[in-house]
Amino acid sequence: MTRLESAAELEHFRAGIVAARDPAKPCIAVCAGAACHGLDSARVAQAFRTEVGKLGRDAGLEVRVTGCHGYCEKGPNVVVGPDDVCYFEVKPEDAPEIVASTLKKAVVERLVYAHPDTGERAVHMGEVPFYKHQTRLLIGDNVRIDPMRIDDYLALGGYAALAKALFQMTPDQVLDEVKKANLRGRGGGGFPAGQKWETAKNAPGKDKYVIVNAHEGEPGAFMDRALFTGNPHKVLEGLIIGAYAIGSHRGFIYTRHDSPQLIRHIEQALAQAEEYGLLGENILGSGFDFRVEVHFDVGIFVSGESSALMRSIEGLPPEPRPKYIRTSVAGIWNRPSNLNNVETWANVPQIISRGAEWYAGIGTAGSKGTKLVSLSGNVVNSGVVEVPMGTPLRKIVYDIGGGIPGGKAAKAVHFGGPMGGSIPANLIDAPLDFDELAKLGAPIGAGGLLVMDEDTDMVDVARYFLEFLTNESCGKCVPCREGMRQTLKVLTNITKGKGRDGDIARLEDLNDVTGAACLCALGRTASDPLKSMLRYFKDEYETQIARGSEGKGGKAAGSAAT
Amino acid sequence: MQIDGREVKARDDMTVLQAARTAGIHIPTLCHHEKLEPFGACRMCMVEVEARGRKNYVVSCLYPVAQDLVVRTRSERVDKIRRVILEELLAHAPNSPELVALAREYRADRDRFEKDASFCILCGLCVRYCAEVKQKNAVDFIERGARREISFIPEIAAKECWDCQECFALCPTSYAQAAYFLTEALAFPGRRKAGVANA
Ligand SMILES: Cc1cc2nc3c(=O)[nH]c(=O)nc-3n(C[C@H](O)[C@H](O)[C@H](O)COP(=O)(O)O)c2cc1C
Ligand code: SF4
Ligand code: FES
């Protein structure tokens, strides 16, 4: 492979890949995402390879091992193109039958989706309830891509946005487009990406950095890994475009040390992009240079926080710094450093290729585009969901999620993990919108949505999240370390039936001060779950405190969340 | 800028705390020390600042001064923050004179939260003094979150601490001293007795 030296060479090369592929040829996509992998999908993939191998060179059918398809609940997932026939809970023994049927253009009825109540079948992706209510702009390509092969990404139009940015747009125009699209950060805060880019761009200094935050430490969140592992080039392309807009020549990917598959895919993506001249010196002959390094987290939650992450990249312990000066002005080695989440970067290529106007047409007034949601807890269909901003939560929980198992009622939905909040089921018509949900006290956070049924004990939910954060706080500042320690003690006492008079006031005071006085956002937002509980479920807290030492039966959502 | 209604002049590179102290306005601190880099851990020095119409709560030991900044060092909310922080720390060191005096001022109840008499309030004065002024790093933080502690590093302490022990006087609770003597007992027992005998 020679380097691509211009946009024209890229298009020519792409045309070659597409021409060599027969769009009508069936392709069996076996999911190797985290959940399916855990269900031994590697053996399923091997069975398909063996089966197709038996057919010889002109099998008329190929096997592709891909990233997460989304419907984790029903893995191992297999999708057979070109018409996307979905098979669920596929076992290695099923491979011969699926291969034989596919060759006959038939369907293996027993492995397709059947509605749990009506038994009604759904064969194609567009008919399966879990998928049919989604808009899968970001995650949809996962089914068509072998993440280890850049050609698969190129075949779908990959890096065309980069070429467009480099050759048809100035850095300012790229920035403008992202600003007009009103892309907001997907990592937790919902901060406008364009505004952050602009700050870094205008900050004094020649050396600037761009960073992908792929730490994803929030328990119950798994969408960043699904997207990045399944389609690494999409994120990388976004990063390169951002670097061009900001004027950065050095990028970092900060990711989990404990996800070998993700690391392999990232490293392969970087190597292949560099080989093709899409990364490194003089990208596509444009004169723009950009390199990327991979850094690994140290396995603690707070290292996903921007200032801690940057210290970690510097090689120091990931302790947050006060941010009276923003990291986009003085970040890594005190140089302007623009950090965005995996999903934020992944949105960039489509904004450039399809335009801000198209993008801003999706979503609500203040929240644009689609959002990935990790759906888990007491819900029939857990998995990675992608819907337009503004989608009512009811649609996510019931139409896509299939509702609550065991015919139970929903009690609450919780967004944002240990730094988010719970809202009661009667507010389930609220839209998926940064501002609306923040107002209700359940900020979207990174997008982990935990559904809780009527048996859930809300004191224990708050206790579970606090217990997690107590172990993850760096311990530097008092209201975080001590505030959480004492809050956890009070909550634990309540769940043990040892609640005391004044506990509500104690919780309120502790929580208020933790929320106001902590150094970093971990501490400040650690108070959010309990705040939402005291807002919507205070009665339950009071009843439990009053109940004294009686035994009681509820269960923790923490144990329901996988 | 303005602090508690008074016009105050400050140099560009000052923090709000420095500006206040220069003007003779008192703000309580626990982790601050003039010879050390600001740490921002105890959060006692929080004040209310208002700039361009927006009210914020910030730690004065780190917050840079700015033109036309309006600072209030006491308010109902600031006092509440300090009170709860003191109550949290008193659970660890109920008899620290510094804390007890502050508790009186902020009406903090030392029995409000469950006791856990570990004495150390993790202000980090000993750790930072040893690192920044003495440059010995004989005492450091270990563990994180609620398990965070200070700990003398026996190998370094055996060499460096005997003739220094300057951090003891900085400690608001005498815990630094206690931790050091434990290290002594562990790493170089007998030296003190021998030292006394030789004297
Ligand atoms: C304790 C803590 C942990 C965080 N962890 C993550 C994380 O794992 N991934 C992430 O993208 N952002 C995380 N964030 C948010 C980042 O600090 C930062 O806001 C974000 O990466 C910016 O990207 P965005 O603007 O694209 O969302 C965390 C924040 C805090 C306070
Ligand atoms: S808020 Fe918590 S995690 Fe953040 S700096 Fe303070 S102690 Fe560390
Ligand atoms: S003196 Fe400012 S935080 Fe301790």
Side-chain angles (χ1 to χ4, degrees), chain A residues 184-193 196 212-218 224 256 301-307 309 323 339-345 419 446 469 520-523 525:
Chain A
R184 293 174 66 175
R186 289 348 193 201
F191 191 81
K196 203 193 275 185
V212 183
N213 192 344
H215 171 65
E216 196 170 54
E218 185 178 306
D224 286 355
R256 304 182 62 91
F301 182 61
V302 78
S303 57
E305 190 274 340
S306 54
S307 64
L309 178 151
K323 273 190 280 190
L339 174 73
N340 282 117
N341 166 263
V342 166
E343 187 185 336
T344 314
W345 289 117
M419 305 178 359
L469 283 182
C520 86
L522 182 143
T525 45

Side-chain angles (χ1 to χ4, degrees), chain A residues 3-7 166-167 277 281-288:
Chain A
R3 285 173 56 91
L4 303 167
E5 301 283 2
S6 68
L166 290 176
F167 296 102
E281 234 163 80
N282 193 14
I283 293 174
L284 286 174
S286 67
F288 177 63

Side-chain angles (χ1 to χ4, degrees), chain B residues 57-76:
Chain B
Y57 295 88
V58 301
V59 282
S60 57
C61 67
L62 282 162
Y63 199 79
V65 296
Q67 194 113 42
D68 300 328
L69 196 67
V70 178
V71 179
R72 285 176 211 96
T73 67
R74 294 290 291 259
S75 74
E76 202 180 312

Side-chain angles (χ1 to χ4, degrees), chain A residues 136-362:
Chain A
R136 309 206 327 145
L137 299 176
L138 299 173
I139 200 92
D141 286 348
N142 273 20
V143 182
R144 312 201 184 288
I145 289 178
D146 174 346
M148 294 292 275
R149 287 169 40 186
I150 189 172
D151 286 9
D152 285 5
Y153 184 63
L154 291 174
L156 298 177
Y159 290 103
L162 174 63
K164 178 174 176 186
L166 290 176
F167 296 102
Q168 295 171 37
M169 298 169 85
T170 63
D172 281 325
Q173 285 171 325
V174 174
L175 174 64
D176 257 7
E177 206 64 24
V178 172
K179 275 168 66 182
K180 267 193 285 180
N182 194 9
L183 171 63
R184 293 174 66 175
R186 289 348 193 201
F191 191 81
Q195 202 176 317
K196 203 193 275 185
W197 291 19
E198 192 166 38
T199 308
K201 183 181 173 73
N202 293 339
K206 205 165 69 43
D207 294 327
K208 299 181 178 175
Y209 308 121
V210 288
I211 310 137
V212 183
N213 192 344
H215 171 65
E216 196 170 54
E218 185 178 306
F222 38 83
M223 64 269 144
D224 286 355
R225 262 161 290 178
L227 178 60
F228 208 0
T229 313
N231 196 350
H233 287 287
K234 203 186 218 29
V235 180
L236 182 59
E237 185 180 2
L239 181 70
I240 307 171
I241 295 171
Y244 171 72
I246 291 165
S248 157
H249 302 287
R250 188 166 171 196
F252 298 91
I253 293 172
Y254 189 75
T255 191
R256 304 182 62 91
H257 69 291
D258 59 354
S259 298
Q261 196 190 29
L262 172 59
I263 296 167
R264 206 164 51 242
H265 292 183
I266 292 173
E267 282 174 348
Q268 171 86 351
L270 293 177
Q272 288 186 335
E274 183 138 14
E275 188 190 324
Y276 279 28
L278 297 162
L279 187 67
E281 234 163 80
N282 193 14
I283 293 174
L284 286 174
S286 67
F288 177 63
D289 305 332
F290 181 61
R291 298 189 177 285
V292 176
E293 294 159 38
V294 183
H295 277 252
F296 299 113
D297 67 26
V298 291
I300 66 171
F301 182 61
V302 78
S303 57
E305 190 274 340
S306 54
S307 64
L309 178 151
M310 294 192 191
R311 296 199 59 162
S312 180
I313 289 179
E314 291 172 359
L316 299 168
E319 224 169 65
R321 278 191 312 194
K323 273 190 280 190
Y324 300 130
I325 300 172
R326 273 168 297 169
T327 47
S328 37
V329 175
I332 304 173
W333 299 302
N334 276 325
R335 305 211 170 103
S337 305
N338 181 87
L339 174 73
N340 282 117
N341 166 263
V342 166
E343 187 185 336
T344 314
W345 289 117
N347 269 289
V348 172
Q350 57 177 356
I351 290 173
I352 298 306
S353 56
R354 301 172 82 163
E357 214 167 296
W358 164 81
Y359 188 81
I362 308 165

Side-chain angles (χ1 to χ4, degrees), chain A residues 300 322 324 471 473-479 481-483 485-486 489 493 506 509-510 512 516-519, chain B residues 39-41 43 58-59 62-63 77 80 83-84 88 91-92 112-114 116 121-122 144-148:
Chain A
I300 66 171
Y324 300 130
N471 291 321
S473 145
C474 80
K476 175 172 175 173
C477 65
V478 176
R481 184 186 69 235
E482 303 303 331
R485 184 210 304 268
Q486 294 296 350
K489 276 190 186 173
N493 283 342
R506 256 179 224 106
D509 272 7
L510 285 166
D512 180 29
C518 283
L519 193 158
Chain B
F39 192 47
R43 319 304 279 177
V58 301
V59 282
L62 282 162
Y63 199 79
R77 188 144 173 79
K80 175 179 178 184
R83 171 172 61 81
V84 174
E88 289 170 356
H92 290 295
R112 183 125 193 255
F113 299 121
E114 252 181 49
D116 178 357
I121 61 164
L122 294 162
R144 62 171 196 259
R147 289 189 309 277
R148 191 166 161 120

Side-chain angles (χ1 to χ4, degrees), chain B residues 14-170:
Chain B
M14 278 186 176
T15 61
V16 167
L17 179 66
Q18 285 167 326
R21 291 206 167 155
T22 311
I25 297 168
H26 177 72
I27 298 174
T29 60
L30 289 169
C31 70
H32 185 75
H33 190 281
E34 268 159 27
K35 286 191 188 151
L36 306 177
E37 287 291 313
F39 192 47
C42 73
R43 319 304 279 177
M44 273 300 284
C45 69
M46 281 217 133
V47 295
E48 192 178 293
V49 296
E50 209 176 304
R52 275 172 270 119
R54 277 187 46 204
K55 231 202 290 188
N56 242 323
Y57 295 88
V58 301
V59 282
S60 57
C61 67
L62 282 162
Y63 199 79
V65 296
Q67 194 113 42
D68 300 328
L69 196 67
V70 178
V71 179
R72 285 176 211 96
T73 67
R74 294 290 291 259
S75 74
E76 202 180 312
R77 188 144 173 79
V78 165
D79 282 13
K80 175 179 178 184
I81 290 172
R82 292 185 188 152
R83 171 172 61 81
V84 174
I85 286 175
L86 286 167
E87 287 170 342
E88 289 170 356
L89 292 176
L90 284 160
H92 290 295
N95 299 312
S96 153
E98 249 176 284
L99 294 185
V100 170
L102 283 166
R104 212 169 298 129
E105 185 170 352
Y106 290 93
R107 293 208 209 105
D109 169 5
R110 71 173 181 186
D111 298 319
R112 183 125 193 255
F113 299 121
E114 252 181 49
K115 291 275 179 333
D116 178 357
S118 60
F119 302 103
C120 180
I121 61 164
L122 294 162
C123 63
L125 287 172
C126 55
V127 171
R128 291 177 296 135
Y129 186 82
C130 193
E132 293 172 28
V133 177
K134 309 298 286 190
Q135 305 195 334
K136 301 294 185 212
N137 300 302
V139 53
D140 206 350
F141 292 115
I142 56 166
E143 300 282 0
R144 62 171 196 259
R147 289 189 309 277
R148 191 166 161 120
E149 284 178 28
I150 61 145
S151 176
F152 281 85
I153 298 154
E155 298 75 26
I156 308 179
K159 277 208 296 285
E160 306 291 349
C161 295
W162 189 265
D163 296 319
C164 172
Q165 307 189 10
E166 284 164 32
C167 63
F168 297 174
L170 302 174

